Amino acid sequence: MVIFSRPQPGTLPTTLKLLVAIMIPSVIVSVLGGASASMGFGLAMGLGMAVTPVSKPRQAALLVIVGAALGGLASLAGSTPWAIAVLMFVSAILSAATNQRSAGLLSLTPVMVILFGPGPINLPWWSAVLWILAGGLAGALITRLLKFQAPTLPVEKRTALEHGIAVGLLCAAIMYWALANSIPHGYWVAVTVLMALRPLANQRRETLNGRLIGTLLGAIIALLAVLFLPVWGAVIVAVLCLFFMVWYSMGGAYLMQALALTPMLLIFASLGDIDRGFELTFERVIFTVIGIAAAVLVALLLRRWESRREDLSA
């Protein structure tokens, strides 16, 4: 596996356009509704951009509505362990159902349950629903304006269902454990599993390795920035990381995306507070390692099930 790679050639102009298209409405929403609204809106834009290229308009609208419903329910559930666990499993099963159309269509919805529930997005349920709908619409419009296209990657029905059940049960258990025991940022374990354990078997090795290595290297960058740079310097590093994350997302280099995402999040969350920087970096690394270990075990289980099916059909 190549650790460092270059962005896909020819994607820089589109990256700049996409950043402008994302930042302008996000800033407006931040002014109107605050930081939580902006985060929720931005996450929903990602959902809109994920579903639009491979869906008809009505299908895309329905998927965004599903995301809004889950986000609203998560806001109602808050940090209630059993409620979030149920929503995690439901969102994983819904994601499995849509993976049969194309892998990853609703992969953001379990993450939305986490962030709108016990995570940092603190909104009333009705506000969460409205901002998700608005963000999904904005994401769809951006996709149409920039003429983004993506191939459909259908997942075989049995494979999609097995993946959804396994991931749903694991993440539901993780979230119940984290919330019942008041583990700070324990939801990072579940986020790691959701992002790294892909439904398509041929993608799992790259995403698991990429998530682990990218997070470890990104945590080092974040810690160095918080320790040795003034606040304005750390902000510049975080903004550059945002730029590179979007740029690399054009070419699917997951390790580089994780490498850019990690310091961006950690720096913005700990600006001017060295102790908090240490704390968040430590938690991010530990919970990522735990999440990767859990994801690897589930990946081995899924591989065993797939091998058995192949043997039976041979």
Side-chain angles (χ1 to χ4, degrees), residues 88-89 92-93 96 158-174 193-194 197 204 294-295 297-303 305:
M88 288 299 297
F89 184 74
I93 295 302
R158 184 72 177 271
T159 300
L161 184 59
E162 289 174 350
H163 175 269
I165 291 174
V167 170
L169 289 174
L170 175 60
C171 289
I174 290 170
V193 173
L194 292 167
L197 188 56
R204 289 173 194 157
L297 292 176
V298 173
L300 292 174
L301 178 63
L302 292 173
R303 183 177 179 181
W305 289 347

Short mmCIF file of all heavy atoms in Angstrom, two decimals, residues 88-89 92-93 96 158-174 193-194 197 204 294-295 297-303 305:
data_model
loop_
_atom_site.label_atom_id
_atom_site.label_comp_id
_atom_site.label_asym_id
_atom_site.label_seq_id
_atom_site.Cartn_x
_atom_site.Cartn_y
_atom_site.Cartn_z
N MET A 88 -28.94 3.43 15.86
CA MET A 88 -27.73 2.99 15.16
C MET A 88 -28.01 1.73 14.35
O MET A 88 -27.62 1.62 13.18
CB MET A 88 -26.60 2.71 16.16
CG MET A 88 -26.00 3.95 16.80
SD MET A 88 -25.26 5.08 15.61
CE MET A 88 -23.95 4.06 14.96
N PHE A 89 -28.71 0.79 14.97
CA PHE A 89 -29.00 -0.46 14.25
C PHE A 89 -29.95 -0.20 13.08
O PHE A 89 -29.73 -0.72 11.97
CB PHE A 89 -29.62 -1.48 15.21
CG PHE A 89 -29.87 -2.82 14.56
CD1 PHE A 89 -28.81 -3.67 14.29
CD2 PHE A 89 -31.15 -3.21 14.20
CE1 PHE A 89 -29.03 -4.90 13.68
CE2 PHE A 89 -31.38 -4.43 13.59
CZ PHE A 89 -30.31 -5.28 13.33
N ALA A 92 -28.12 1.42 10.23
CA ALA A 92 -27.23 0.48 9.56
C ALA A 92 -28.01 -0.44 8.62
O ALA A 92 -27.55 -0.76 7.52
CB ALA A 92 -26.47 -0.35 10.59
N ILE A 93 -29.20 -0.86 9.04
CA ILE A 93 -30.03 -1.72 8.19
C ILE A 93 -30.53 -0.94 6.98
O ILE A 93 -30.56 -1.46 5.85
CB ILE A 93 -31.21 -2.30 9.00
CG1 ILE A 93 -30.69 -3.22 10.10
CG2 ILE A 93 -32.16 -3.05 8.08
CD1 ILE A 93 -29.85 -4.39 9.60
N ALA A 96 -27.76 -0.73 4.64
CA ALA A 96 -27.58 -2.01 3.95
C ALA A 96 -28.57 -2.16 2.80
O ALA A 96 -28.22 -2.64 1.72
CB ALA A 96 -27.75 -3.16 4.94
N ARG A 158 -27.20 -10.46 -0.15
CA ARG A 158 -26.79 -11.19 1.05
C ARG A 158 -25.60 -10.51 1.72
O ARG A 158 -25.54 -10.36 2.94
CB ARG A 158 -26.46 -12.63 0.68
CG ARG A 158 -26.10 -13.54 1.85
CD ARG A 158 -27.32 -13.87 2.69
NE ARG A 158 -26.98 -14.78 3.77
CZ ARG A 158 -27.01 -16.11 3.65
NH1 ARG A 158 -27.36 -16.68 2.50
NH2 ARG A 158 -26.70 -16.88 4.68
N THR A 159 -24.65 -10.08 0.90
CA THR A 159 -23.46 -9.40 1.43
C THR A 159 -23.85 -8.10 2.12
O THR A 159 -23.35 -7.78 3.21
CB THR A 159 -22.46 -9.12 0.30
OG1 THR A 159 -22.06 -10.35 -0.30
CG2 THR A 159 -21.23 -8.39 0.82
N ALA A 160 -24.73 -7.34 1.49
CA ALA A 160 -25.17 -6.06 2.07
C ALA A 160 -25.88 -6.28 3.40
O ALA A 160 -25.66 -5.55 4.37
CB ALA A 160 -26.09 -5.34 1.09
N LEU A 161 -26.74 -7.30 3.45
CA LEU A 161 -27.49 -7.57 4.68
C LEU A 161 -26.57 -8.02 5.80
O LEU A 161 -26.69 -7.56 6.95
CB LEU A 161 -28.56 -8.62 4.41
CG LEU A 161 -29.49 -8.95 5.59
CD1 LEU A 161 -30.24 -7.70 6.03
CD2 LEU A 161 -30.48 -10.05 5.21
N GLU A 162 -25.64 -8.92 5.49
CA GLU A 162 -24.71 -9.39 6.52
C GLU A 162 -23.86 -8.24 7.05
O GLU A 162 -23.64 -8.12 8.26
CB GLU A 162 -23.81 -10.48 5.93
CG GLU A 162 -24.53 -11.80 5.67
CD GLU A 162 -23.66 -12.82 4.97
OE1 GLU A 162 -22.55 -12.45 4.52
OE2 GLU A 162 -24.07 -13.99 4.87
N HIS A 163 -23.40 -7.40 6.14
CA HIS A 163 -22.60 -6.24 6.55
C HIS A 163 -23.43 -5.30 7.43
O HIS A 163 -22.96 -4.83 8.48
CB HIS A 163 -22.09 -5.50 5.31
CG HIS A 163 -21.35 -4.23 5.62
ND1 HIS A 163 -21.98 -3.01 5.71
CD2 HIS A 163 -20.04 -3.99 5.88
CE1 HIS A 163 -21.10 -2.08 5.99
NE2 HIS A 163 -19.90 -2.64 6.11
N GLY A 164 -24.66 -5.03 7.02
CA GLY A 164 -25.51 -4.12 7.78
C GLY A 164 -25.82 -4.65 9.18
O GLY A 164 -25.77 -3.89 10.16
N ILE A 165 -26.13 -5.92 9.28
CA ILE A 165 -26.44 -6.51 10.59
C ILE A 165 -25.21 -6.49 11.49
O ILE A 165 -25.28 -6.10 12.67
CB ILE A 165 -26.97 -7.94 10.42
CG1 ILE A 165 -28.35 -7.92 9.75
CG2 ILE A 165 -27.05 -8.65 11.77
CD1 ILE A 165 -28.89 -9.29 9.42
N ALA A 166 -24.07 -6.91 10.94
CA ALA A 166 -22.84 -6.97 11.75
C ALA A 166 -22.42 -5.58 12.23
O ALA A 166 -22.14 -5.37 13.42
CB ALA A 166 -21.72 -7.61 10.94
N VAL A 167 -22.41 -4.63 11.31
CA VAL A 167 -22.01 -3.27 11.68
C VAL A 167 -23.04 -2.63 12.61
O VAL A 167 -22.69 -1.94 13.58
CB VAL A 167 -21.81 -2.41 10.41
CG1 VAL A 167 -21.65 -0.93 10.77
CG2 VAL A 167 -20.60 -2.89 9.63
N GLY A 168 -24.32 -2.88 12.32
CA GLY A 168 -25.37 -2.31 13.17
C GLY A 168 -25.30 -2.81 14.60
O GLY A 168 -25.40 -2.02 15.55
N LEU A 169 -25.14 -4.11 14.77
CA LEU A 169 -25.05 -4.68 16.12
C LEU A 169 -23.80 -4.18 16.84
O LEU A 169 -23.85 -3.82 18.03
CB LEU A 169 -25.05 -6.20 16.05
CG LEU A 169 -26.38 -6.86 15.65
CD1 LEU A 169 -26.20 -8.37 15.49
CD2 LEU A 169 -27.46 -6.56 16.69
N LEU A 170 -22.67 -4.16 16.12
CA LEU A 170 -21.42 -3.72 16.74
C LEU A 170 -21.51 -2.26 17.17
O LEU A 170 -21.17 -1.91 18.32
CB LEU A 170 -20.26 -3.92 15.77
CG LEU A 170 -18.89 -3.39 16.24
CD1 LEU A 170 -18.46 -4.07 17.53
CD2 LEU A 170 -17.84 -3.59 15.15
N CYS A 171 -21.97 -1.40 16.28
CA CYS A 171 -22.02 0.03 16.60
C CYS A 171 -23.09 0.34 17.65
O CYS A 171 -22.91 1.24 18.47
CB CYS A 171 -22.25 0.84 15.33
SG CYS A 171 -20.81 0.85 14.23
N ALA A 172 -24.19 -0.40 17.62
CA ALA A 172 -25.20 -0.23 18.66
C ALA A 172 -24.62 -0.58 20.03
O ALA A 172 -24.83 0.15 21.02
CB ALA A 172 -26.42 -1.10 18.36
N ALA A 173 -23.86 -1.67 20.08
CA ALA A 173 -23.23 -2.07 21.35
C ALA A 173 -22.20 -1.05 21.80
O ALA A 173 -22.11 -0.71 22.99
CB ALA A 173 -22.59 -3.45 21.18
N ILE A 174 -21.41 -0.55 20.85
CA ILE A 174 -20.39 0.45 21.19
C ILE A 174 -21.04 1.71 21.75
O ILE A 174 -20.60 2.25 22.78
CB ILE A 174 -19.55 0.80 19.94
CG1 ILE A 174 -18.67 -0.39 19.55
CG2 ILE A 174 -18.68 2.04 20.21
CD1 ILE A 174 -17.99 -0.21 18.20
N VAL A 193 -15.49 2.51 12.99
CA VAL A 193 -16.05 1.29 12.38
C VAL A 193 -16.89 1.65 11.16
O VAL A 193 -16.76 1.03 10.09
CB VAL A 193 -16.90 0.52 13.41
CG1 VAL A 193 -17.61 -0.65 12.73
CG2 VAL A 193 -16.03 0.01 14.55
N LEU A 194 -17.74 2.64 11.29
CA LEU A 194 -18.65 3.01 10.20
C LEU A 194 -17.89 3.50 8.97
O LEU A 194 -18.26 3.18 7.84
CB LEU A 194 -19.61 4.11 10.68
CG LEU A 194 -20.63 3.68 11.73
CD1 LEU A 194 -21.29 4.90 12.35
CD2 LEU A 194 -21.68 2.77 11.12
N LEU A 197 -15.08 0.25 7.75
CA LEU A 197 -15.53 -1.10 7.39
C LEU A 197 -16.55 -1.00 6.26
O LEU A 197 -17.75 -0.88 6.48
CB LEU A 197 -16.14 -1.80 8.61
CG LEU A 197 -16.48 -3.29 8.43
CD1 LEU A 197 -15.28 -4.09 7.98
CD2 LEU A 197 -17.04 -3.86 9.72
N ARG A 204 -12.06 -2.97 1.82
CA ARG A 204 -11.88 -2.95 3.28
C ARG A 204 -10.43 -2.80 3.70
O ARG A 204 -10.12 -2.05 4.64
CB ARG A 204 -12.48 -4.22 3.90
CG ARG A 204 -14.00 -4.24 3.86
CD ARG A 204 -14.56 -5.56 4.31
NE ARG A 204 -15.98 -5.66 3.96
CZ ARG A 204 -16.63 -6.79 3.83
NH1 ARG A 204 -16.00 -7.95 4.00
NH2 ARG A 204 -17.91 -6.79 3.51
N ALA A 294 -11.86 -3.65 16.34
CA ALA A 294 -13.21 -4.21 16.27
C ALA A 294 -13.63 -4.42 14.82
O ALA A 294 -14.23 -5.45 14.47
CB ALA A 294 -14.20 -3.29 16.98
N ALA A 295 -13.31 -3.46 13.96
CA ALA A 295 -13.68 -3.56 12.55
C ALA A 295 -12.96 -4.72 11.87
O ALA A 295 -13.54 -5.41 11.02
CB ALA A 295 -13.36 -2.25 11.83
N LEU A 297 -12.00 -7.52 13.26
CA LEU A 297 -12.65 -8.76 13.70
C LEU A 297 -13.95 -9.00 12.92
O LEU A 297 -14.23 -10.12 12.48
CB LEU A 297 -12.94 -8.70 15.20
CG LEU A 297 -11.72 -8.73 16.12
CD1 LEU A 297 -12.14 -8.58 17.58
CD2 LEU A 297 -10.92 -10.02 15.94
N VAL A 298 -14.73 -7.94 12.74
CA VAL A 298 -15.97 -8.08 11.97
C VAL A 298 -15.67 -8.37 10.51
O VAL A 298 -16.36 -9.17 9.87
CB VAL A 298 -16.83 -6.81 12.11
CG1 VAL A 298 -18.05 -6.87 11.19
CG2 VAL A 298 -17.29 -6.64 13.55
N ALA A 299 -14.63 -7.74 9.97
CA ALA A 299 -14.25 -7.99 8.57
C ALA A 299 -13.86 -9.45 8.37
O ALA A 299 -14.21 -10.07 7.35
CB ALA A 299 -13.09 -7.08 8.18
N LEU A 300 -13.16 -10.02 9.34
CA LEU A 300 -12.79 -11.44 9.26
C LEU A 300 -14.03 -12.32 9.31
O LEU A 300 -14.12 -13.33 8.60
CB LEU A 300 -11.83 -11.79 10.39
CG LEU A 300 -10.43 -11.16 10.32
CD1 LEU A 300 -9.64 -11.47 11.58
CD2 LEU A 300 -9.69 -11.65 9.08
N LEU A 301 -14.98 -11.93 10.16
CA LEU A 301 -16.23 -12.69 10.24
C LEU A 301 -17.00 -12.62 8.92
O LEU A 301 -17.49 -13.65 8.42
CB LEU A 301 -17.09 -12.14 11.38
CG LEU A 301 -18.47 -12.78 11.58
CD1 LEU A 301 -18.32 -14.25 11.94
CD2 LEU A 301 -19.26 -12.03 12.65
N LEU A 302 -17.09 -11.43 8.35
CA LEU A 302 -17.78 -11.27 7.07
C LEU A 302 -17.08 -12.06 5.97
O LEU A 302 -17.74 -12.67 5.11
CB LEU A 302 -17.84 -9.79 6.70
CG LEU A 302 -18.73 -8.90 7.58
CD1 LEU A 302 -18.55 -7.44 7.21
CD2 LEU A 302 -20.19 -9.30 7.46
N ARG A 303 -15.77 -12.05 6.00
CA ARG A 303 -15.01 -12.80 5.00
C ARG A 303 -15.28 -14.30 5.13
O ARG A 303 -15.39 -15.02 4.12
CB ARG A 303 -13.53 -12.51 5.16
CG ARG A 303 -12.64 -13.17 4.11
CD ARG A 303 -11.19 -12.77 4.30
NE ARG A 303 -10.33 -13.41 3.33
CZ ARG A 303 -9.01 -13.25 3.27
NH1 ARG A 303 -8.43 -12.43 4.14
NH2 ARG A 303 -8.30 -13.87 2.37
N TRP A 305 -18.04 -15.68 6.28
CA TRP A 305 -19.38 -15.93 5.74
C TRP A 305 -19.36 -15.96 4.21
O TRP A 305 -19.99 -16.81 3.59
CB TRP A 305 -20.34 -14.86 6.24
CG TRP A 305 -20.68 -14.97 7.69
CD1 TRP A 305 -20.43 -16.03 8.51
CD2 TRP A 305 -21.32 -13.97 8.49
NE1 TRP A 305 -20.87 -15.75 9.78
CE2 TRP A 305 -21.43 -14.51 9.80
CE3 TRP A 305 -21.81 -12.69 8.24
CZ2 TRP A 305 -22.02 -13.79 10.84
CZ3 TRP A 305 -22.39 -11.98 9.28
CH2 TRP A 305 -22.49 -12.53 10.56
#
